[in-house]
């Protein structure tokens, strides 16, 4: 690895590699440049991780859980350092980084330290098939080996640690590539894990851009976790497929928020505004398509407008900020193109918090669009910023139809006082999770599996399922009696009759048919026992 704060190096092939850069998104000021790992660095890291992981795996799960507890103490002690670093590098206010990232990760460390010893313990099974019921079956959970994580910039701590912690407690070595836009948050996470006693080669941080991510796959990590856009996720999945590397993909979303006629309007307005505009709208589970029942549409839109116009778009550093800058100004280009497409098609802006002239174009004013139709880009594509299209719907069926008419399927929210109606709608939504009268909470709850369907990805993080993604199960079946089996060679006409009797005994309809196969079946096993 190269040291920090030096210029981007030239790799063996002579091509310049892009350094990872920590910039203040509010000013564009470059305050740290971190050398990108080369292909050789990645190969070395994978080799070191492989060598180091044997000792790590040989620790008991409880010992590894102690390291997670240690990490929790370190993160707790250095909590504001982490939150302020995220503010400076990602642009969200430190208070938001504390709520959405630091506090969530503190809880995840506690949760995985608690549940891992139980979940990863070998499990005995009792087979139900009478032909094999005397065998002893145990399911062991084994770590994959070296787990690669390609992490995004929008939640640089949550979406890194949320995977690294279960991977580590399961006995894997971890190589994490933080986003090239937030390398410092990633490096601080690595430093904290090492401070908690995780060996340096068991958790390695490799800053860099897509080339480093591609090299991780090329160098043969044993499992890969990717969070990012659907387009890149597809490329990652193809590369993993070519090498038979299993991967978990947490991709984009275009979540629908469905506001029904009986919703608590104040809670719905405040929740949706927070869900959509926190982190400057750069959240995978943010409500990105608002579907409001015609009966409350006008009133809801009026409340939404005044709430959005009151949002303070400002640099987060001063403290008087609700919505900060986008990660980089280019992130706004896509939003402006989506906005232009919608207004050209007849949609109009009903609310905008406005942008002071002193702010650069990376500050995108929180904006509400009305008069949208399902064919517009804002409804079909992911809008990764503070832009919220609103549509009037006249029935629950129409809301469900519009919500499901998306290539994404990450999550959705339903706002109503009627729990039965909400659950009925939730059952019909084609998404990985549904939140009723709340928003975003699904992505950071330690116990709840998080992930999408359709273009939103495959696999799950968080919860028990997130831990089980970090291990493969090995089945060990043992038979110590020394008997033969009736289905071993040779096949005879008698075996055919025996097997037919056994089929009747095991699967026949009714007691009479089943009893008709008992004695011949017992005879079959008895004879095999002696052979
Ligand atoms: P991308 O999904 O495009 O890229 C994520 C990371 O993967 C980057 O470091 C990228 O490097 C790297 N990468 C690119 N190609 C490969 C490859 N072949 N193999 C391995 N790694 C690769 O996200 P971006 O950060 O560039 O943001 C683009 C868009 O993605 C955003 O506008 C947003 O819409 C969406 N996004 C969604 C997130 C979510 O939580 N769902 C999180 C972040 C972004 P490089 O930049 O060099 O291409």
């Amino acid at each position: 690895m190269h040291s920090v704060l030096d210029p981007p190096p030239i790799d063996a092939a002579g091509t310049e590699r892009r350094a990872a850069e920590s910039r203040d998104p509010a000013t564009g000021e470059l305050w740290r440049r971190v050398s990108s790992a080369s292909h050789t660095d990645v190969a070395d890291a994978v080799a070191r991780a492989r060598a180091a992981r044997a000792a790590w795996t040989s620790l008991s799960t409880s010992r590894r859980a102690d390291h997670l507890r240690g990490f929790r103490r370190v993160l707790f002690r250095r909590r504001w350092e982490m939150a302020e670093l995220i503010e400076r590098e990602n642009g969200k206010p430190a208070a938001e980084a504390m709520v959405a990232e630091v506090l969530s990760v503190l809880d995840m460390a506690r949760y995985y330290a608690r549940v891992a010893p139980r979940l990863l313990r070998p499990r005995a099974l009792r087979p139900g098939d009478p032909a094999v019921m005397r065998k002893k079956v145990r399911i062991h959970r084994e770590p994959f080996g070296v787990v690669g994580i390609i992490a995004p910039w929008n939640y640089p701590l949550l979406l890194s640690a949320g995977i690294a912690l279960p991977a580590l407690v399961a006995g894997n070595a971890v190589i994490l590539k933080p986003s090239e836009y937030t390398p410092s948050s990633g490096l601080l996470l690595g430093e904290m894990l090492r401070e908690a006693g995780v060996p340096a080669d068991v958790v390695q941080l490799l800053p860099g851009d897509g080339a480093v991510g591609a090299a991780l796959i090329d160098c043969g990590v044993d499992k890969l976790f990717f969070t990012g856009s659907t387009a890149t996720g597809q490329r990652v999945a193809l590369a993993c497929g070519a090498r038979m590397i299993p991967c978990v993909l947490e991709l984009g979303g275009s979540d629908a928020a469905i506001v029904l006629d009986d919703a608590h309007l104040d809670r719905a307005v405040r929740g949706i505004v927070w869900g959509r505009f926190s982190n400057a709208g750069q959240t995978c589970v943010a409500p990105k398509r608002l579907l409001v029942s015609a009966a409350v549409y006008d009133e809801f839109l009026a409340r939404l407008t005044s709430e959005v116009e009151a949002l303070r778009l400002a640099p987060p550093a001063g403290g008087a900020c609700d919505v900060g800058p986008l990660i980089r100004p280019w992130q706004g280009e896509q939003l402006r193109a989506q906005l232009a497409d919608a207004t050209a098609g007849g949609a109009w802006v009903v609310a905008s918090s406005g942008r002071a002239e002193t702010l650069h174009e990376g500050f995108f004013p929180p904006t509400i669009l009305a008069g949208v139709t399902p064919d517009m880009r804002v409804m079909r594509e992911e809008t990764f910023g503070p832009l919220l299209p609103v549509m009037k719907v006249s029935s629950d069926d129409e809301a469900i139809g519009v919500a499901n008419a998306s290539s994404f399927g990450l999550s959705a929210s339903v706002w109503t006082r009627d729990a039965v109606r909400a659950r009925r709608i939730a059952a019909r939504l084609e998404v990985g999770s549904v939140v009723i009268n709340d928003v975003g909470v699904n992505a950071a709850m330690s116990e709840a599996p998080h992930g999408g369907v359709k273009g939103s990805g495959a696999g799950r993080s968080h919860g028990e399922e997130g831990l089980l993604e970090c291990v493969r199960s090995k089945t060990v079946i043992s038979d110590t009696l020394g008997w033969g089996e009736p289905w071993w060679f040779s096949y005879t006409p008698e075996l055919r009759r025996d097997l037919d009797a056994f089929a009747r005994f095991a699967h026949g309809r009714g007691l009479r048919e089943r009893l008709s196969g008992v004695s011949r079946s017992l005879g079959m096993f008895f004879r095999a026992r002696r052979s």
Side-chain angles (χ1 to χ4, degrees):
M1 284 290 303
H2 301 271
S3 63
V4 298
L5 295 171
D6 58 0
I10 309 292
D11 70 15
T15 51
E16 193 172 300
R17 281 174 277 116
R18 193 149 53 104
E21 291 182 338
S22 297
R23 287 180 184 271
D24 182 343
T27 60
E29 176 214 350
L30 172 66
W31 53 269
R32 187 184 194 188
R33 170 173 275 179
V34 181
S35 291
S36 171
S38 67
H39 195 285
T40 312
D41 292 331
V42 178
D44 288 350
V46 173
R48 279 200 307 278
R50 248 184 236 308
R53 82 111 181 154
W56 181 248
T57 305
S58 71
L59 296 178
S60 67
T61 309
S62 301
R63 285 288 307 281
R64 292 193 298 268
D66 285 341
H67 286 88
L68 261 54
R69 291 188 189 94
F71 165 73
R72 182 166 161 254
R73 284 191 293 276
V74 174
L75 178 59
F76 175 72
R77 181 165 42 78
R78 301 176 69 179
R79 59 195 180 278
W80 284 109
E81 181 187 346
M82 179 60 94
E84 282 159 14
L85 183 67
I86 293 173
E87 172 182 291
R88 194 164 175 220
E89 200 178 35
N90 159 279
K92 74 183 70 158
E96 202 175 284
M98 178 59 66
V99 171
E101 304 210 54
V102 177
L103 289 173
S104 304
V105 169
L106 284 168
D107 191 63
M108 269 176 205
R110 172 169 56 191
Y111 168 74
Y112 281 119
R114 182 168 56 80
V115 301
R118 171 180 59 82
L119 268 178
L120 301 180
R121 200 176 294 145
R123 204 159 45 97
L125 284 188
R126 186 178 287 277
D129 183 344
V132 291
M133 68 193 317
R134 70 167 194 272
K135 299 180 196 293
K136 294 200 174 88
V137 183
R138 280 173 85 76
I139 312 297
H140 297 257
R141 308 287 192 189
E142 294 189 342
F144 278 90
V146 181
V147 162
I149 302 173
I150 300 177
W153 42 263
N154 55 344
Y155 290 86
L157 174 65
L158 175 68
L159 298 179
S160 299
I163 298 167
L165 295 178
L168 287 169
V169 81
N172 298 282
V174 165
I175 302 181
L176 169 66
K177 184 192 94 62
S179 164
E180 57 269 40
Y181 306 113
T182 51
S184 296
S185 312
L187 291 172
L188 182 58
L189 168 64
E191 187 183 311
M192 289 181 176
L193 284 164
R194 283 191 289 272
E195 192 181 332
V198 180
D201 287 345
V202 170
V203 59
Q204 300 181 64
L205 275 290
L206 295 185
D209 60 11
V212 178
L216 268 179
I217 301 167
D218 198 40
C219 293
V221 292
D222 301 301
K223 178 141 185 177
L224 190 92
F225 291 79
F226 172 84
T227 307
S229 65
T230 301
T232 305
Q234 284 169 329
R235 288 210 303 279
V236 164
L238 280 172
C240 285
R243 290 162 187 76
M244 297 300 279
I245 297 172
C247 62
V248 170
L249 304 166
E250 298 283 349
L251 308 178
S254 185
D255 290 8
I258 301 175
V259 180
L260 302 179
D261 46 13
D262 62 348
H264 290 279
L265 291 192
D266 277 335
R267 181 170 172 84
V269 167
R270 294 196 59 220
I272 288 167
V273 167
W274 179 79
R276 172 68 286 209
F277 299 112
S278 57
N279 203 29
Q282 304 162 114
T283 302
C284 52
V285 295
K288 295 182 183 128
R289 295 175 296 150
L290 179 53
L291 312 176
V292 184
S293 163
V296 291
Y297 181 84
D298 291 340
E299 186 184 351
F300 191 85
L301 205 57
R303 292 194 198 194
L304 193 65
T305 299
S306 61
E307 194 80 17
V308 168
E309 287 177 345
L311 290 174
R312 295 163 304 168
L313 181 69
C321 160
D322 299 312
V323 179
L326 300 169
I327 186 76
R328 294 285 183 273
W330 51 252
Q331 184 68 26
E333 284 164 23
Q334 166 113 334
L335 292 170
R336 278 185 282 277
Q338 289 165 327
L339 186 58
D341 172 78
T343 49
W348 60 93
V349 171
V350 284
S352 170
S353 65
R355 168 160 65 95
E357 276 177 16
T358 47
L359 299 177
H360 66 69
E361 60 179 358
F363 285 86
F364 194 97
T367 303
I368 303 284
L369 259 182
V372 296
T373 51
D375 56 311
M376 291 175 178
R377 286 181 61 184
V378 283
M379 296 294 277
R380 287 187 288 111
E381 299 173 357
E382 180 170 40
T383 48
F384 218 60
L387 178 59
L388 181 58
V390 193
M391 233 185 103
K392 192 189 289 188
V393 287
S394 52
S395 68
D396 293 6
D397 281 347
E398 187 189 355
I400 294 164
V402 174
N404 286 342
S406 172
S407 59
F408 296 101
L410 193 54
S411 56
S413 59
V414 183
W415 302 80
T416 171
R417 290 168 210 247
D418 183 339
V420 175
R421 188 178 175 197
R423 280 201 294 274
R424 240 187 350 247
I425 292 173
R428 293 174 59 195
L429 291 172
E430 296 163 2
V431 290
S433 49
V434 180
V435 191
I436 297 165
N437 297 323
D438 208 337
V439 64
V441 62
N442 51 314
M445 190 180 281
S446 304
E447 292 79 2
H450 168 59
V453 302
K454 301 198 275 189
S456 292
R460 294 291 180 265
S461 56
H462 309 165
E464 296 190 354
E465 288 178 42
L467 179 60
L468 295 179
E469 291 278 13
C470 301
V471 289
R472 45 187 158 217
S473 52
K474 179 185 274 178
T475 304
V476 178
I477 303 176
S478 81
D479 185 331
T480 51
L481 288 181
W483 299 356
E485 300 290 358
W487 51 86
W488 289 354
F489 295 133
S490 338
Y491 300 147
T492 60
E494 189 186 13
L495 177 64
R496 242 186 98 102
R497 288 191 291 276
D498 287 347
L499 287 175
D500 188 67
F502 179 75
R504 276 184 275 122
F505 161 57
H507 303 287
R509 280 195 303 170
L511 192 59
R512 200 188 177 111
E513 188 170 18
R514 297 189 70 179
L515 286 176
S516 74
V518 172
S519 67
R520 195 163 185 126
S521 298
L522 288 175
M524 172 176 81
F525 283 102
F526 187 72
R527 278 192 301 281
R529 179 186 155 209
R530 289 180 308 172
S531 61

